[in-house]
Amino acid sequence: PLTEVVEVFAEGLRRASGIPVHVGWRPVSTFPTALLQLRNAEITPLDMAASKHLMDVSLQLDIWHTSPKARDEAVDRIIHYLDGERGRLAEQLGVLGVYFESVVDVGDSKAFRKMLLVRVRLVG
């Protein structure tokens, strides 16, 4: 289920932002671009048979763009997308909630960068 969560989020973020979204850390050389990483996942069994689990997943999304305005517009589209897709994500993945932990400007000498930390809770 964790692979599916990351893949579904990456595809949705691509559509919402209009920029390439890559999964996993790698050097960035072209802009605009975004990287989605799984930072942490806590998995707790919900029943004695361990057939259902509560997963608390922390995702990091780094967005690089050519201007602060373009970067912030892409971030706004991403936040709007995640807010609007809660119902579909609940049906498709069993997502109980999508929470924004932080949205931070990050100093970068190559381009304008912003980091979003998103927590996703789901049953799988």
Side-chain angles (χ1 to χ4, degrees), residues 14-27:
R14 281 183 198 106
R15 286 192 318 268
S17 67
I19 62 176
V21 176
H22 306 281
V23 176
W25 183 255
R26 63 192 216 163

PDB file of all heavy atoms in Angstrom, residues 14-27:
ATOM      1  N   ARG A  14       1.464  15.792 -10.207  1.00  0.00           N
ATOM      2  CA  ARG A  14       1.859  16.156 -11.583  1.00  0.00           C
ATOM      3  C   ARG A  14       0.722  16.892 -12.286  1.00  0.00           C
ATOM      4  O   ARG A  14       0.927  17.935 -12.904  1.00  0.00           O
ATOM      5  CB  ARG A  14       2.214  14.907 -12.385  1.00  0.00           C
ATOM      6  CG  ARG A  14       3.556  14.344 -12.130  1.00  0.00           C
ATOM      7  CD  ARG A  14       3.852  13.130 -13.036  1.00  0.00           C
ATOM      8  NE  ARG A  14       4.944  12.389 -12.462  1.00  0.00           N
ATOM      9  CZ  ARG A  14       4.826  11.221 -11.827  1.00  0.00           C
ATOM     10  NH1 ARG A  14       3.654  10.622 -11.741  1.00  0.00           N
ATOM     11  NH2 ARG A  14       5.866  10.640 -11.306  1.00  0.00           N
ATOM     12  N   ARG A  15      -0.469  16.317 -12.192  1.00  0.00           N
ATOM     13  CA  ARG A  15      -1.627  16.933 -12.855  1.00  0.00           C
ATOM     14  C   ARG A  15      -1.950  18.293 -12.241  1.00  0.00           C
ATOM     15  O   ARG A  15      -2.247  19.250 -12.955  1.00  0.00           O
ATOM     16  CB  ARG A  15      -2.842  16.012 -12.756  1.00  0.00           C
ATOM     17  CG  ARG A  15      -2.791  14.807 -13.654  1.00  0.00           C
ATOM     18  CD  ARG A  15      -4.133  14.086 -13.739  1.00  0.00           C
ATOM     19  NE  ARG A  15      -4.840  13.954 -12.479  1.00  0.00           N
ATOM     20  CZ  ARG A  15      -4.755  12.928 -11.651  1.00  0.00           C
ATOM     21  NH1 ARG A  15      -3.960  11.917 -11.951  1.00  0.00           N
ATOM     22  NH2 ARG A  15      -5.449  12.884 -10.529  1.00  0.00           N
ATOM     23  N   ALA A  16      -1.911  18.371 -10.930  1.00  0.00           N
ATOM     24  CA  ALA A  16      -2.296  19.605 -10.245  1.00  0.00           C
ATOM     25  C   ALA A  16      -1.305  20.739 -10.473  1.00  0.00           C
ATOM     26  O   ALA A  16      -1.703  21.881 -10.701  1.00  0.00           O
ATOM     27  CB  ALA A  16      -2.432  19.353  -8.743  1.00  0.00           C
ATOM     28  N   SER A  17      -0.027  20.428 -10.413  1.00  0.00           N
ATOM     29  CA  SER A  17       0.989  21.485 -10.489  1.00  0.00           C
ATOM     30  C   SER A  17       1.383  21.839 -11.911  1.00  0.00           C
ATOM     31  O   SER A  17       1.855  22.945 -12.173  1.00  0.00           O
ATOM     32  CB  SER A  17       2.241  21.073  -9.717  1.00  0.00           C
ATOM     33  OG  SER A  17       2.893  19.980 -10.354  1.00  0.00           O
ATOM     34  N   GLY A  18       1.231  20.892 -12.826  1.00  0.00           N
ATOM     35  CA  GLY A  18       1.662  21.131 -14.198  1.00  0.00           C
ATOM     36  C   GLY A  18       3.171  21.041 -14.374  1.00  0.00           C
ATOM     37  O   GLY A  18       3.701  21.451 -15.405  1.00  0.00           O
ATOM     38  N   ILE A  19       3.873  20.506 -13.378  1.00  0.00           N
ATOM     39  CA  ILE A  19       5.322  20.342 -13.487  1.00  0.00           C
ATOM     40  C   ILE A  19       5.685  18.879 -13.236  1.00  0.00           C
ATOM     41  O   ILE A  19       4.919  18.139 -12.620  1.00  0.00           O
ATOM     42  CB  ILE A  19       6.087  21.277 -12.516  1.00  0.00           C
ATOM     43  CG1 ILE A  19       5.736  20.972 -11.060  1.00  0.00           C
ATOM     44  CG2 ILE A  19       5.827  22.732 -12.830  1.00  0.00           C
ATOM     45  CD1 ILE A  19       6.529  21.793 -10.050  1.00  0.00           C
ATOM     46  N   PRO A  20       6.856  18.437 -13.701  1.00  0.00           N
ATOM     47  CA  PRO A  20       7.275  17.057 -13.466  1.00  0.00           C
ATOM     48  C   PRO A  20       7.449  16.785 -11.968  1.00  0.00           C
ATOM     49  O   PRO A  20       8.006  17.614 -11.249  1.00  0.00           O
ATOM     50  CB  PRO A  20       8.619  16.940 -14.181  1.00  0.00           C
ATOM     51  CG  PRO A  20       8.679  18.106 -15.110  1.00  0.00           C
ATOM     52  CD  PRO A  20       7.821  19.174 -14.523  1.00  0.00           C
ATOM     53  N   VAL A  21       6.969  15.638 -11.512  1.00  0.00           N
ATOM     54  CA  VAL A  21       7.147  15.207 -10.125  1.00  0.00           C
ATOM     55  C   VAL A  21       7.860  13.868 -10.163  1.00  0.00           C
ATOM     56  O   VAL A  21       7.362  12.913 -10.759  1.00  0.00           O
ATOM     57  CB  VAL A  21       5.797  15.083  -9.382  1.00  0.00           C
ATOM     58  CG1 VAL A  21       6.006  14.530  -7.979  1.00  0.00           C
ATOM     59  CG2 VAL A  21       5.068  16.416  -9.338  1.00  0.00           C
ATOM     60  N   HIS A  22       9.031  13.820  -9.540  1.00  0.00           N
ATOM     61  CA  HIS A  22       9.826  12.597  -9.487  1.00  0.00           C
ATOM     62  C   HIS A  22       9.764  12.030  -8.076  1.00  0.00           C
ATOM     63  O   HIS A  22       9.670  12.772  -7.109  1.00  0.00           O
ATOM     64  CB  HIS A  22      11.277  12.881  -9.872  1.00  0.00           C
ATOM     65  CG  HIS A  22      11.401  13.560 -11.196  1.00  0.00           C
ATOM     66  ND1 HIS A  22      11.300  12.873 -12.388  1.00  0.00           N
ATOM     67  CD2 HIS A  22      11.568  14.861 -11.528  1.00  0.00           C
ATOM     68  CE1 HIS A  22      11.425  13.728 -13.388  1.00  0.00           C
ATOM     69  NE2 HIS A  22      11.577  14.945 -12.894  1.00  0.00           N
ATOM     70  N   VAL A  23       9.844  10.713  -7.977  1.00  0.00           N
ATOM     71  CA  VAL A  23       9.797  10.057  -6.679  1.00  0.00           C
ATOM     72  C   VAL A  23      11.212   9.708  -6.245  1.00  0.00           C
ATOM     73  O   VAL A  23      11.971   9.121  -7.010  1.00  0.00           O
ATOM     74  CB  VAL A  23       8.922   8.788  -6.732  1.00  0.00           C
ATOM     75  CG1 VAL A  23       8.954   8.056  -5.398  1.00  0.00           C
ATOM     76  CG2 VAL A  23       7.491   9.146  -7.119  1.00  0.00           C
ATOM     77  N   GLY A  24      11.557  10.085  -5.017  1.00  0.00           N
ATOM     78  CA  GLY A  24      12.876   9.801  -4.460  1.00  0.00           C
ATOM     79  C   GLY A  24      13.852  10.924  -4.716  1.00  0.00           C
ATOM     80  O   GLY A  24      13.686  11.713  -5.649  1.00  0.00           O
ATOM     81  N   TRP A  25      14.850  11.008  -3.861  1.00  0.00           N
ATOM     82  CA  TRP A  25      15.827  12.095  -3.963  1.00  0.00           C
ATOM     83  C   TRP A  25      16.754  11.871  -5.140  1.00  0.00           C
ATOM     84  O   TRP A  25      17.174  10.753  -5.419  1.00  0.00           O
ATOM     85  CB  TRP A  25      16.657  12.191  -2.684  1.00  0.00           C
ATOM     86  CG  TRP A  25      17.585  13.350  -2.770  1.00  0.00           C
ATOM     87  CD1 TRP A  25      18.923  13.302  -2.997  1.00  0.00           C
ATOM     88  CD2 TRP A  25      17.239  14.730  -2.697  1.00  0.00           C
ATOM     89  NE1 TRP A  25      19.427  14.575  -3.057  1.00  0.00           N
ATOM     90  CE2 TRP A  25      18.417  15.475  -2.876  1.00  0.00           C
ATOM     91  CE3 TRP A  25      16.047  15.413  -2.496  1.00  0.00           C
ATOM     92  CZ2 TRP A  25      18.437  16.863  -2.849  1.00  0.00           C
ATOM     93  CZ3 TRP A  25      16.072  16.797  -2.466  1.00  0.00           C
ATOM     94  CH2 TRP A  25      17.250  17.499  -2.634  1.00  0.00           C
ATOM     95  N   ARG A  26      17.054  12.941  -5.836  1.00  0.00           N
ATOM     96  CA  ARG A  26      18.024  12.925  -6.925  1.00  0.00           C
ATOM     97  C   ARG A  26      18.449  14.354  -7.181  1.00  0.00           C
ATOM     98  O   ARG A  26      17.705  15.295  -6.863  1.00  0.00           O
ATOM     99  CB  ARG A  26      17.446  12.285  -8.174  1.00  0.00           C
ATOM    100  CG  ARG A  26      16.266  13.020  -8.745  1.00  0.00           C
ATOM    101  CD  ARG A  26      15.571  12.193  -9.776  1.00  0.00           C
ATOM    102  NE  ARG A  26      15.081  13.042 -10.849  1.00  0.00           N
ATOM    103  CZ  ARG A  26      14.724  12.620 -12.018  1.00  0.00           C
ATOM    104  NH1 ARG A  26      14.816  11.350 -12.299  1.00  0.00           N
ATOM    105  NH2 ARG A  26      14.268  13.434 -12.933  1.00  0.00           N
ATOM    106  N   PRO A  27      19.614  14.553  -7.759  1.00  0.00           N
ATOM    107  CA  PRO A  27      20.054  15.926  -8.056  1.00  0.00           C
ATOM    108  C   PRO A  27      19.094  16.580  -9.053  1.00  0.00           C
ATOM    109  O   PRO A  27      18.617  15.944  -9.981  1.00  0.00           O
ATOM    110  CB  PRO A  27      21.434  15.746  -8.686  1.00  0.00           C
ATOM    111  CG  PRO A  27      21.863  14.372  -8.289  1.00  0.00           C
ATOM    112  CD  PRO A  27      20.622  13.565  -8.099  1.00  0.00           C
TER     113      PRO A  27
END
